[in-house]
Amino acid sequence: ANRIPTPTLFVSAPTEDDYPSAALAPDGSICVAYTAFTHGEGFDGWRRIKKPPKDFSPIGKPTGGDQVFLARLANGAWSKPEPVTQAGQDVFGTAIAVDGSGQTWAFWSQNVGGNWDLYCRTLRDGTWAAPVRLTTDPGADIYPAATTDSEGKVWLAWMAFRGECSDILAMRQAGETLGEAMIVCNAPQNQWNPAIAAGPAGEVAIAWDTYQKGDYDVYCRIWKRGAFGGPIPVSTSLRFEARPSLTYDKAGRLWIAHEDSPEGWGKDWGWAEKTGTRLYMGTKMNREVKVKVLADGKLMKPAQDVIEMLAPKPPPGAKGQKRKGRRRGSKPPFAAPILKADANGRVWLGVRSRRDGSYSGAGTVWLEEMTFYDGDHWAQYFSVPETDNLLDNRPCLIAMPGGNLLMVNSSDRRNVLASFPPWWAVKQMKKEGKKPPRRPRPKWASPFNNELFVHDFNLSLDAPPEPKLEPIAAGPIPKPTADTLREWEDVKRVRAYRTKIAGKDARIFRGEFHRHTEISSDGGGDGTLQDMWRYALDAASMDWIGNGDHDNGGGREYPWWITQKTTDVFHIGDTFVPMFSYERSCNYPDGHRNVVFAKRGVRTLPRLKGGMGKDMDDQPETVRPPHTPDSLMLFNYLRFFDGVCASHTSATDMGTDWRDWGASKEPLVEIYQGDRRNYEMPSAPRAVAGDKLPGKGCRPRGFVVNALKKGYRLAFEASSDHLSVHMSYCNVFVEEPTREAILTAMKRRHVYGSTDNIIADVRCGEHFMGDEFSVSEPPTLHAKLIGTQPFAKVHVIKDGEYVHTIEPMTAEVEFTWAEKNAKPGVTSYYYVRGEQTDGELVWASPMWIKYEPR
């Protein structure tokens, strides 16, 4: 039996109470800042609807927005939360600190006029000062972290986008205000997730991770005697090393924990290739946690690796057991470390874990696990109750003067419902005449609602033994790999490419809108929402991206709000322009469609009860209903809010038989998916295995060639779906770097799909790929392809048939092909597919050309 902390629920309300930060005041009280999201009226839960709405406008009504609150624990009792900001704001995260005089400093990032800046408000003797805006630069200022140094001065560190990249900045208290911003790191590429800690001798350490050499490395700098020392490399291998946490022990040693994952993070992984590493989790390559110690200027490590305790290897000869959610031989993932030294000097470590692999209606269940370093080993971990929530959820640890430890965290109670059978099992139990267990009635309208807990560790431990540490051999910091340098050049070439469309300058914006995260109920292996932004900005060097989580979190308003919020946070000037999107997954033949908007605030569309089409592939087409009400409702919804959609994996059980098409609202299709296959036609590359149709659940009616035969006008794009990374791109030709321009390019079908950083420019006279037009002379196509490797084959395809093939064996291909068999009065579609020698592909979107001789 293990002792576990005693949880106390101290904020429980219909609001979603989240992102807590906590600080210890000189008088022994605890101050907690947090955000409270108020649901829009009627949107606190997800429901099916019985009939299509006549008016879609309620779906776009504003939410109640965010508000920052402060709660205080003093003399064993919690105060009533006090508002720090006005209600109805757009807030991203909090930080809090208390200075030596007892004045409380609350920090938060807020969207005002489209810019995310840091704000501060102080509380002294029960009186609040007016809010102060700390930053004014046009780039987003986010992820604040605060502490108080040994002189009683408050510090603030944060991630600041300045120009095309993010920096790490800091401020120190100067009287009643904070001083000028200090640059902690402004190296090339992006800097992420600052952590801050104050030492016993006046020092303040700030750590972060950087992508400056093409993979994530952890660095720190230490401020002492009025100045920062130079950057200290903490973990700088070619592995994924990120999201540091810091604490100083009683002896002044700096402990640093961070996440760790194998080399090649965010690089080629999918159905066709597995040379890279997925964003979060996979067999024998899960995320781990590393701990290091900076003592007397030397980098050390604990005598025992914490993973040896969290996930010990089975004894020799023992057979591995398959556990729920994991394959035999794999280790459970651990991430989001938090460190804290208690008043006795004992160092505690918390990690997020999904050890039992549980799922609930809100997604994967993650819990906090705690351990501490005890001389020469890590103590047996224990799970902390009421910490079930997302992976991207960091509790706060507070070291009390007597040696006790407190934890403050948010929980959405997802673990409660995870212990009950899913809907399909309940249905089967009822069919068998069994009585399913009764689920508890939720306190609020939604069964998942974020509330705040404090955990009392009830500690009365002796002083810890002197920690046994081992030296870490210093070695040279690796340089960017040849693959990294080559890819940077490939991306630079694509971004520099310019062409003319209808007389206007256009350039290529690379991205996709089918990237899943843990917010999807089936996204346990996809990583956090921040991992998606890291991948798009750094590993894939995209120009835009759209989140593809299922209904942005099962149709719940709160994860939709967070997704929409971060889509605004990471809009980086003209450099990176993310779109508002989600995946709407219906049964075949309606199929899965990914939805895209250029504007924020459009909620996901609920399913129509009984409105989805029936699987009648075994019946002749004359017998099948011509339409399905749910798909028609989706197209009307997109018409109302000016959005578009694209079917994905169309030739599978997740696809469609193309009985419905949204015309201008469905101008493109996911022709290739990195996690699965090519759905162009059965004979296309990456579409078949030998002469068999691709995989279980294939629906031949869904191949894109069948939609084109029906006369549907569909451009081609490629996206990833779950797990797959770095091998599927939706390339749009935009006239300017805006969301509106991206959506316009999609509507015009000025889009092409690729599996690598390949340029495609195909036209007929003044017309561009994706266009529909008439010609008085037989059409002549001009194609230009610039690849990352030589092209083995380039095809011209007309009406589903190969009409011209060349084998150039060069990376740059430019040719003209003239049609010789055009039929007067007939509209035909033409497109170009390129196949590189390394197997990478590019699909230029079709042109629909009607030959009308004079």
Side-chain angles (χ1 to χ4, degrees):
N2 284 336
R3 290 185 63 190
I4 59 174
T6 304
T8 301
L9 177 65
F10 72 95
V11 174
S12 180
T15 52
E16 301 272 2
D17 304 299
D18 206 354
Y19 297 103
S21 54
L24 176 67
D27 61 4
S29 62
I30 303 295
C31 300
V32 177
Y34 65 94
T35 61
F37 168 70
T38 300
H39 290 278
E41 186 176 351
F43 291 101
D44 42 9
W46 187 87
R47 301 171 182 86
R48 287 184 179 270
I49 53 179
K50 294 182 179 179
K51 58 182 179 180
K54 295 180 180 179
D55 179 14
F56 289 99
S57 59
I59 294 176
K61 282 185 176 180
T63 69
D66 298 319
Q67 188 169 14
V68 178
F69 282 91
L70 184 137
R72 186 184 297 272
L73 173 62
N75 301 318
W78 284 97
S79 66
K80 181 181 178 181
E82 301 178 52
V84 180
T85 68
Q86 294 180 344
Q89 305 302 308
D90 195 8
V91 173
F92 187 52
T94 68
I96 194 168
V98 182
D99 65 25
S101 68
Q103 181 172 233
T104 303
W105 298 65
F107 304 98
W108 66 95
S109 181
Q110 183 174 331
N111 179 11
V112 177
N115 193 40
W116 291 88
D117 282 310
L118 290 176
Y119 290 78
C120 170
R121 198 172 183 192
T122 58
L123 175 66
R124 182 188 291 279
D125 299 328
T127 301
W128 284 99
V132 176
R133 183 177 179 177
L134 299 176
T135 60
T136 58
D137 291 81
D141 295 276
I142 51 177
Y143 295 121
T147 193
T148 305
D149 64 24
S150 61
E151 297 179 16
K153 302 294 185 182
V154 167
W155 281 76
L156 178 69
W158 73 97
M159 177 179 170
F161 279 95
R162 299 293 182 261
E164 297 183 357
C165 298
S166 58
D167 303 331
I168 303 299
L169 304 182
M171 291 179 176
R172 184 179 188 238
Q173 181 183 350
E176 295 299 310
T177 62
L178 292 180
E180 294 294 320
M182 297 176 279
I183 296 175
V184 180
C185 181
N186 62 348
Q189 304 294 327
N190 288 310
Q191 327 302 315
W192 293 84
N193 286 105
I196 191 167
E203 60 270 68
V204 172
I206 298 176
W208 68 95
D209 65 80
T210 175
Y211 201 75
Q212 65 189 71
K213 74 177 197 313
D215 61 86
Y216 290 109
D217 298 321
V218 175
Y219 282 80
C220 79
R221 291 183 71 183
I222 298 176
W223 184 92
K224 196 170 185 179
R225 300 186 186 93
F228 275 107
I232 301 171
V234 176
S235 291
T236 56
S237 72
L238 296 176
R239 298 172 65 86
F240 173 99
E241 295 148 325
R243 296 193 182 96
S245 178
L246 301 176
T247 192
Y248 275 99
D249 66 16
K250 202 171 183 180
R253 292 176 289 248
L254 178 64
W255 294 66
I256 308 164
H258 62 81
E259 294 182 13
D260 178 88
S261 191
E263 294 180 21
W265 183 88
K267 300 303 181 182
D268 292 346
W269 203 100
W271 174 82
E273 186 177 351
K274 293 179 172 60
T275 57
T277 299
R278 297 176 348 189
L279 296 194
Y280 190 70
M281 190 177 96
T283 306
K284 298 182 180 179
M285 61 179 187
N286 288 347
R287 194 72 59 86
E288 295 184 352
V289 168
K290 298 294 182 183
V291 179
K292 296 182 179 180
V293 184
L294 191 62
D296 298 325
K298 297 179 181 179
L299 205 58
M300 314 283 282
K301 63 180 181 180
Q304 183 192 31
D305 190 332
V306 68
I307 294 299
E308 294 177 9
M309 182 278 301
L310 291 172
K313 294 180 180 179
K319 292 183 178 180
Q321 294 182 346
K322 186 174 182 180
R323 299 188 58 183
K324 184 180 178 182
R326 302 203 309 275
R327 295 182 182 180
R328 184 173 291 129
S330 67
K331 293 184 291 187
F334 304 99
I338 52 172
L339 284 171
K340 194 67 177 181
D342 63 28
N344 293 325
R346 180 178 285 101
V347 174
W348 291 79
L349 172 68
V351 296
R352 300 297 284 173
S353 171
R354 53 165 298 195
R355 192 177 294 274
D356 64 356
S358 294
Y359 285 86
S360 75
T364 313
V365 177
W366 297 87
L367 293 166
E368 196 72 16
E369 292 183 353
M370 294 294 301
T371 181
F372 60 85
Y373 195 58
D374 197 14
D376 60 355
H377 68 280
W378 292 94
Q380 176 63 36
Y381 73 87
F382 58 88
S383 293
V384 182
E386 307 291 5
T387 57
D388 45 327
N389 211 319
L390 291 165
L391 161 62
D392 194 6
N393 182 279
R394 288 202 185 193
C396 313
L397 295 176
I398 304 106
M400 302 301 289
N404 194 14
L405 206 67
L406 298 183
M407 175 188 287
V408 176
N409 70 281
S410 66
S411 170
D412 62 9
R413 301 289 186 88
R414 62 181 57 196
N415 200 36
V416 175
L417 294 186
S419 60
F420 288 83
W423 66 268
W424 50 266
V426 170
K427 186 176 180 180
Q428 182 63 29
M429 292 173 73
K430 289 180 178 179
K431 188 181 291 186
E432 296 172 357
K434 299 176 182 178
K435 187 176 181 180
R438 189 172 181 178
R439 294 188 175 213
R441 184 182 297 273
K443 186 176 180 180
W444 312 114
S446 171
F448 308 105
N449 190 76
N450 278 272
E451 300 173 312
L452 298 182
F453 289 83
V454 62
H455 295 78
D456 189 341
F457 280 54
N458 300 308
L459 294 176
S460 57
L461 301 175
D462 297 331
E466 185 69 12
K468 184 178 179 181
L469 304 175
E470 298 176 351
I472 297 176
I477 298 174
K479 294 181 179 180
T481 65
D483 286 343
T484 295
L485 295 174
R486 184 166 50 249
E487 182 177 356
W488 285 349
E489 288 301 313
D490 291 341
V491 170
K492 185 178 178 180
R493 181 177 60 249
V494 175
R495 287 177 171 168
Y497 188 80
R498 297 293 185 272
T499 191
K500 293 274 188 183
I501 303 177
K504 294 184 178 180
D505 291 331
R507 67 186 193 184
I508 301 170
F509 251 41
R510 297 163 45 260
E512 67 149 314
F513 53 104
H514 196 177
R515 173 82 257 145
H516 282 282
T517 79
E518 61 161 330
I519 289 176
S520 282
S521 60
D522 55 352
D526 290 307
T528 67
L529 187 59
Q530 190 194 88
D531 280 333
M532 183 193 81
W533 298 116
R534 284 176 177 262
Y535 165 70
L537 286 164
D538 296 333
S541 299
M542 289 179 172
D543 306 302
W544 69 278
I545 198 171
N547 178 274
D549 285 326
H550 298 288
D551 301 289
N552 285 158
R556 293 167 55 221
E557 190 180 34
Y558 185 53
W560 165 83
W561 174 249
I562 294 173
T563 303
Q564 294 254 311
K565 183 195 305 286
T566 57
T567 303
D568 261 353
V569 166
F570 290 103
H571 184 173
I572 306 168
D574 296 344
T575 304
F576 185 72
V577 187
M579 302 293 282
F580 301 101
S581 59
Y582 67 94
E583 178 182 335
R584 190 169 186 272
S585 303
C586 295
N587 297 333
Y588 181 89
D590 295 80
H592 295 205
R593 284 177 164 93
N594 290 83
V595 174
V596 188
F597 296 105
K599 60 185 178 182
R600 181 176 174 182
V602 182
R603 291 179 182 80
T604 60
L605 179 66
R607 304 289 186 280
L608 191 61
K609 277 187 178 180
M612 288 183 277
K614 294 183 179 179
D615 175 7
M616 299 182 69
D617 273 6
D618 58 341
Q619 301 293 323
E621 191 161 345
T622 54
V623 176
R624 292 181 291 140
H627 301 290
T628 63
D630 194 89
S631 292
L632 297 182
M633 179 180 68
L634 169 64
F635 301 144
N636 287 331
Y637 157 82
L638 294 172
R639 244 173 239 112
F640 187 89
F641 289 112
D642 191 24
V644 298
C645 71
S647 173
H648 83 70
T649 56
S650 55
T652 71
D653 282 337
M654 296 176 288
T656 176
D657 60 6
W658 294 115
R659 72 178 66 178
D660 291 305
W661 173 54
S664 64
K665 298 294 101 184
E666 192 173 18
L668 63 172
V669 63
E670 186 184 272
I671 198 165
Y672 177 78
Q673 185 185 103
D675 193 39
R676 293 181 176 88
R677 307 255 183 147
N678 175 7
Y679 299 98
E680 176 187 1
M681 61 177 77
S683 61
R686 298 195 187 182
V688 295
D691 58 352
K692 297 180 181 178
L693 291 173
K696 183 180 178 182
C698 175
R699 300 287 186 164
R701 294 178 187 270
F703 279 108
V704 175
V705 67
N706 294 329
L708 296 174
K709 284 179 181 178
K710 283 176 173 262
Y712 296 171
R713 275 45 172 168
L714 293 167
F716 300 154
E717 55 93 5
S719 289
S720 58
D721 203 351
H722 293 286
L723 307 177
S724 175
V725 285
H726 207 248
M727 54 175 54
S728 45
Y729 301 99
C730 173
N731 308 278
V732 294
F733 280 89
V734 298
E735 296 174 6
E736 55 185 11
T738 65
R739 288 173 174 150
E740 292 73 20
I742 292 173
L743 188 66
T744 297
M746 290 179 176
K747 291 177 180 178
R748 293 174 177 171
R749 301 186 294 269
H750 293 164
V751 179
Y752 70 93
S754 65
T755 65
D756 206 344
N757 298 310
I758 302 171
I759 297 170
D761 186 334
V762 179
R763 56 185 70 231
C764 176
E766 296 180 353
H767 299 283
F768 198 65
M769 55 187 178
D771 289 347
E772 180 178 4
F773 53 93
S774 299
V775 293
S776 58
E777 300 290 337
T780 297
L781 271 60
H782 181 83
K784 182 178 183 179
L785 304 179
I786 303 175
T788 58
Q789 293 290 324
F791 284 97
K793 293 181 181 180
V794 178
H795 305 282
V796 176
I797 297 170
K798 172 191 174 183
D799 295 336
E801 302 292 334
Y802 295 90
V803 294
H804 181 66
T805 298
I806 60 173
E807 299 180 0
M809 292 300 169
T810 59
E812 293 194 28
V813 179
E814 191 164 3
F815 67 93
T816 299
W817 173 79
E819 167 69 278
K820 295 180 181 179
N821 299 306
K823 295 181 179 180
V826 175
T827 298
S828 292
Y829 69 83
Y830 304 80
Y831 68 89
V832 172
R833 184 210 303 143
E835 305 171 16
Q836 293 189 164
T837 54
D838 60 357
E840 303 300 339
L841 304 170
V842 61
W843 297 263
S845 290
M847 290 181 282
W848 289 264
I849 307 174
K850 187 176 184 180
Y851 175 40
E852 294 183 313
R854 293 174 184 172

